[in-house]
Amino acid sequence: MLPVVQASVPAQGSSIFDVAREAGVSRATAARALGGYGSVSEEARRRVEAAAAKLGYSVNSVARSMVTGQTMTLGALIADVSNPFFARVIRGFTDGARSAGYDVVLVNTDETVDSEIHGLKVLTEKRVDGILVAPASEEASEHLASAVDHGQALVQVDRFVPGLDTDVVVVNNYESGYQAVKRVIAIGHTRIAAPLQRTRGHDGHANLISSMLERHQGYRDAMAEAGLTVPSAYTPPAHGRSEVRTAVAGMLNSADRPTAVFGLDDSFTLGIIDAVYGCDLVVPDQVSIFGFDDTEWTTVVRPPLSVIAQPAYDLGTCAAQALLHRIHAPDAPRQTHVLPTTWIERGSIRDLTRTG
Amino acid sequence: MLPVVQASVPAQGSSIFDVAREAGVSRATAARALGGYGSVSEEARRRVEAAAAKLGYSVNSVARSMVTGQTMTLGALIADVSNPFFARVIRGFTDGARSAGYDVVLVNTDETVDSEIHGLKVLTEKRVDGILVAPASEEASEHLASAVDHGQALVQVDRFVPGLDTDVVVVNNYESGYQAVKRVIAIGHTRIAAPLQRTRGHDGHANLISSMLERHQGYRDAMAEAGLTVPSAYTPPAHGRSEVRTAVAGMLNSADRPTAVFGLDDSFTLGIIDAVYGCDLVVPDQVSIFGFDDTEWTTVVRPPLSVIAQPAYDLGTCAAQALLHRIHAPDAPRQTHVLPTTWIERGSIRDLTRTG
DNA sequence: TGCGCGAGTGAGAACGTGCTCAACAGAGGG
DNA sequence: CCCTCTGTTGAGCACGTTCTCACTCGCGCA
């Protein structure tokens, strides 16, 4: 029996050892030829390339990561890809990553701290070079702080934990909400409702999402500034489309019916529309609606919906850039990128200052 | 100078070597204690666990993959996550993968063969354990065939390349389209249009997506079976919402205006609605609409849209299961899973057999 | 005492790559 | 003729883990 140096015919493919043997050179020379470093004779290069093609050689990124210390992979910890907003963020993020040679591992948290902790652990073990996170909770974020302490490159998107020393990419949620409500007040509305994000306490933590809270605070401040009171019935806590629908249906059937309802996000706005249709009210004649985030369907409802549009895709690309910059320069000062929103006037808000 | 056995204080964290040293045991013992195999004394286990906690040790999955030969990662090659259909497929896929301890790397192809080839190459190099693919083209698929030949576990979703020997997870597109159109014919419609997927030739390949073609063939056959002719003006080739809008607007303004329009997918249906609104026509009185895939907005348009609903999420979970099964049993016979669609009657189709 | 046995332990190989170092040959100049 | 320099090459280490092998030690039993 001869000593078997490299036995096994791995199903997955051949290593650079096989290529070198096929080409009749050493491993080092084959690696140089394929890796494009050092100096290799034209003859050797040709033979190595021919051997690689013949064997169907494919570099083993795992082994490469082992020695280079980078995986060329980023992680994304978001609530839910099937939420159109996050889907667009992720698309932007993957595009930004891909253009720099990085790939993206996707983890859904469903706004659950437990899932976020577990996802972060897995991504850390997989040694991703950087992580995008839309934090599930402002309160329970020790795991994120710990990751940052350990030198993990992190970027917070859409919302952020105040004390956390990372790059941040958001839109100006407070200002956007404030300005939108101010506009609506300016055209005569005094009874404006805005269902509030219901905190989820099932895992013992208060899941407060800063983006939603800020939008709502903008609404409250605009109302207060105009000297308008906000009855608590106008800000029922709800979670998800169906809960919002129920909550809004309740206020629409009450004596003190609002003249306008503000949807803090996509699912809220859908729930509001559900409720309005369920109560057989006409938009905008009997009730006005405006929402946050401009998804594909806002132009196919009648009347088309007035919204605060946010650049979800750009949020993702900007996050990718910030993360790649952070990876390249770990000690550069942290930055907070605030992307602009756009108010899109369509036809879902009635101007009460005009008679008729 | 003492010989430095393990220098470097890696920013990323400590290895099992550091844990072993901290606990005063050998690497092997530390590995046994943390890995839960072999036999370790209670005393040693306690010390190792304490050391691991103190150092904030995190297993290096890259190194583990190196020796185990599996990355516990799956790849997903789809057209576009920001397309709600694929977003739901991906959500199902990640959920199915995650429940078995796998993560998912996401790659968008935009239905481009070049991107698909490149994405496949990267995923192969990253040594993912399996790949979900929604093939961009029936024609140009040598790269997929080559991957299968090399033993790569593959599952095709939504559409498939006929000759390719992989598991497949789809809905019955032909039958769904056929039955839906048959229903519409049954209530009196004779002039039914269905814009066709336009082939993209920009990279030299004919990007024919089997799912779209089958739906359209079902439509054609239902029409033919009822003895109805389909003027070519009823099946204008188009790509994307705005092209569909333009194409449909054209036919709606013609003398031979259709009484019903079938949207082959989400973006087509949106374009059709755009066109109908643009022509100031009333649905369903002047024109009926029905679509494929039941997205969140189908209930907020007036009238609510009648659609062929497909289980996008289940498509993803089923694909994950098939892939995991394939990884576990590479030689098991290939299976094709056909998931059921559901016809959801809402109010966007007029019954022409009823007068009034 | 001698022996076997099992629990516990450490040394070390292997995975496939990137890269450093030394060696070697040939050319060219003094 | 010798030395230097440059282009090319092979040997070998390192990355961090899993896992096999061999070794030691203490105990029970004949």
Side-chain angles (χ1 to χ4, degrees):
Chain A
M1 287 275 284
L2 289 169
V4 179
V5 184
Q6 180 100 348
S8 82
V9 182
Q12 197 55 263
S14 41
S15 77
I16 203 167
F17 185 94
D18 304 310
V19 175
R21 187 178 41 187
E22 179 75 22
V25 296
S26 71
R27 266 187 8 252
T29 301
R32 271 188 285 258
L34 295 174
Y37 63 97
S39 75
V40 186
S41 67
E42 202 46 50
E43 165 69 11
R45 164 166 287 112
R46 250 198 8 250
R47 286 222 309 275
V48 169
E49 278 164 1
K54 179 183 171 189
L55 297 176
Y57 172 74
S58 151
V59 200
N60 186 329
S61 289
V62 178
R64 173 180 289 169
S65 296
M66 195 75 208
V67 41
T68 62
Q70 32 182 325
T71 52
M72 299 306 281
T73 303
L74 304 180
L77 272 172
I78 53 146
D80 179 16
V81 241
S82 62
N83 174 328
F85 167 70
F86 284 114
R88 284 180 293 148
V89 171
I90 289 299
R91 181 65 215 257
F93 187 61
T94 53
D95 282 1
R98 164 53 61 97
S99 68
Y102 286 77
D103 291 293
V104 172
V105 176
L106 184 65
V107 178
N108 298 290
T109 66
D110 287 316
E111 310 283 13
T112 303
V113 174
D114 289 342
S115 295
E116 187 176 284
I117 291 174
H118 184 249
L120 182 64
K121 177 170 176 282
V122 173
L123 292 177
T124 302
E125 291 179 352
K126 280 203 166 29
R127 296 294 189 264
V128 294
D129 297 328
I131 298 176
L132 171 152
V133 59
S137 165
E138 287 195 26
E139 315 289 317
S141 60
E142 304 81 24
H143 52 294
L144 297 175
S146 166
V148 172
D149 285 347
H150 282 71
Q152 176 66 267
L154 222 63
V155 59
Q156 299 185 80
V157 172
D158 181 52
R159 40 254 191 40
F160 63 97
V161 177
L164 213 53
D165 187 32
T166 73
D167 294 286
V168 172
V169 180
V170 289
V171 296
N172 195 332
N173 288 293
Y174 174 83
E175 191 68 17
S176 302
Y178 173 81
Q179 292 295 348
V181 173
K182 208 172 165 185
R183 283 170 193 270
V184 175
I185 292 172
I187 53 175
H189 289 265
T190 56
R191 299 202 306 276
I192 306 171
L196 182 62
Q197 174 212 5
R198 184 167 65 81
T199 58
R200 287 239 226 103
H202 83 286
D203 55 353
H205 300 297
N207 280 16
L208 300 174
I209 298 172
S210 63
S211 52
M212 301 285 275
L213 291 180
E214 286 173 10
R215 290 169 200 174
H216 204 264
Q217 191 59 50
Y219 150 76
R220 285 180 176 282
D221 287 359
M223 293 293 277
E225 197 179 290
L228 300 170
T229 57
V230 176
S232 66
Y234 280 8
T235 60
H239 174 258
R241 179 171 175 172
S242 65
E243 278 190 26
V244 171
R245 180 203 173 115
T246 308
V248 173
M251 73 175 81
L252 289 178
N253 284 323
S254 73
D256 193 28
R257 182 208 293 171
T259 59
V261 187
F262 177 20
L264 285 195
D265 79 358
D266 198 44
S267 64
F268 273 50
T269 308
L270 283 167
I272 292 167
I273 298 175
D274 286 342
V276 169
Y277 283 156
C279 296
D280 266 330
L281 296 175
V282 176
V283 180
D285 298 347
Q286 293 172 290
V287 61
S288 297
I289 302 177
F290 59 109
F292 210 108
D293 201 12
D294 186 38
T295 45
E296 54 182 10
W297 54 264
T298 53
T299 52
V300 289
V301 292
R302 290 295 98 154
L305 199 68
S306 297
V307 293
I308 300 155
Q310 57 178 336
Y313 181 88
D314 297 338
L315 241 43
T317 55
C318 183
Q321 281 165 18
L323 207 45
L324 295 170
H325 178 68
R326 173 75 34 221
I327 291 168
H328 193 256
D331 297 323
R334 267 61 177 171
Q335 292 189 332
T336 294
H337 305 264
V338 180
L339 273 52
T341 58
T342 314
W343 172 255
I344 301 180
E345 185 79 47
R346 293 200 175 101
S348 62
I349 307 175
R350 183 177 173 194
D351 187 342
L352 297 178
T353 60
R354 293 188 203 168
T355 47
Chain B
M1 284 276 283
L2 288 170
V4 179
V5 184
Q6 181 98 348
S8 80
V9 182
Q12 196 56 261
S14 41
S15 77
I16 203 168
F17 185 93
D18 305 311
V19 174
R21 188 179 40 188
E22 178 74 22
V25 296
S26 71
R27 261 183 20 248
T29 301
R32 271 188 286 257
L34 294 172
Y37 64 98
S39 75
V40 187
S41 68
E42 202 47 48
E43 166 69 11
R45 165 166 288 114
R46 247 194 14 245
R47 288 222 307 275
V48 169
E49 278 164 1
K54 179 182 172 188
L55 297 176
Y57 173 75
S58 152
V59 199
N60 186 330
S61 288
V62 178
R64 173 180 289 169
S65 296
M66 194 75 208
V67 41
T68 62
Q70 31 183 325
T71 52
M72 299 305 281
T73 302
L74 304 179
L77 272 172
I78 52 147
D80 178 16
V81 241
S82 61
N83 174 326
F85 168 70
F86 284 114
R88 283 179 294 149
V89 170
I90 289 298
R91 181 65 216 256
F93 187 61
T94 54
D95 283 1
R98 163 54 61 97
S99 68
Y102 286 78
D103 291 294
V104 173
V105 176
L106 183 65
V107 178
N108 298 289
T109 66
D110 286 317
E111 309 282 14
T112 303
V113 174
D114 290 341
S115 294
E116 186 175 286
I117 291 174
H118 183 250
L120 182 64
K121 177 170 175 283
V122 172
L123 292 177
T124 303
E125 290 179 352
K126 279 202 165 29
R127 296 293 189 265
V128 294
D129 297 328
I131 297 176
L132 170 152
V133 59
S137 165
E138 286 195 26
E139 317 288 317
S141 60
E142 304 82 22
H143 53 294
L144 296 175
S146 166
V148 172
D149 285 347
H150 282 71
Q152 176 66 266
L154 222 63
V155 60
Q156 299 186 80
V157 172
D158 180 51
R159 42 257 202 25
F160 61 99
V161 177
L164 212 53
D165 188 31
T166 72
D167 294 287
V168 172
V169 180
V170 288
V171 297
N172 195 332
N173 287 293
Y174 174 83
E175 191 68 16
S176 302
Y178 174 81
Q179 292 294 349
V181 173
K182 209 172 165 187
R183 283 169 192 270
V184 175
I185 292 171
I187 53 175
H189 289 265
T190 55
R191 300 203 303 277
I192 305 172
L196 183 61
Q197 175 213 2
R198 183 167 66 81
T199 57
R200 288 240 226 102
H202 82 286
D203 55 352
H205 299 298
N207 280 16
L208 300 174
I209 298 172
S210 64
S211 52
M212 301 284 275
L213 291 179
E214 286 174 8
R215 291 170 199 174
H216 204 264
Q217 192 60 48
Y219 151 75
R220 286 179 176 283
D221 286 0
M223 294 292 279
E225 195 180 289
L228 300 171
T229 57
V230 175
S232 65
Y234 279 10
T235 59
H239 174 257
R241 179 171 174 173
S242 64
E243 278 190 27
V244 171
R245 179 202 174 117
T246 308
V248 173
M251 74 174 80
L252 289 178
N253 284 324
S254 74
D256 193 30
R257 182 207 293 170
T259 59
V261 187
F262 177 20
L264 285 194
D265 78 357
D266 197 44
S267 64
F268 274 49
T269 308
L270 283 167
I272 292 167
I273 298 176
D274 286 340
V276 168
Y277 283 155
C279 296
D280 266 329
L281 296 174
V282 177
V283 180
D285 297 349
Q286 294 171 289
V287 60
S288 296
I289 302 177
F290 59 109
F292 210 107
D293 200 13
D294 186 37
T295 45
E296 54 183 10
W297 54 265
T298 53
T299 52
V300 289
V301 292
R302 292 293 99 158
L305 199 69
S306 296
V307 292
I308 301 155
Q310 58 177 334
Y313 181 89
D314 297 339
L315 241 44
T317 55
C318 183
Q321 281 164 18
L323 207 44
L324 294 170
H325 179 67
R326 173 74 37 220
I327 291 167
H328 193 255
D331 298 322
R334 267 62 177 170
Q335 292 191 330
T336 293
H337 306 264
V338 180
L339 273 51
T341 57
T342 315
W343 173 254
I344 301 180
E345 185 80 45
R346 292 200 175 101
S348 62
I349 308 175
R350 182 174 174 197
D351 187 343
L352 297 178
T353 61
R354 293 188 201 166
T355 47

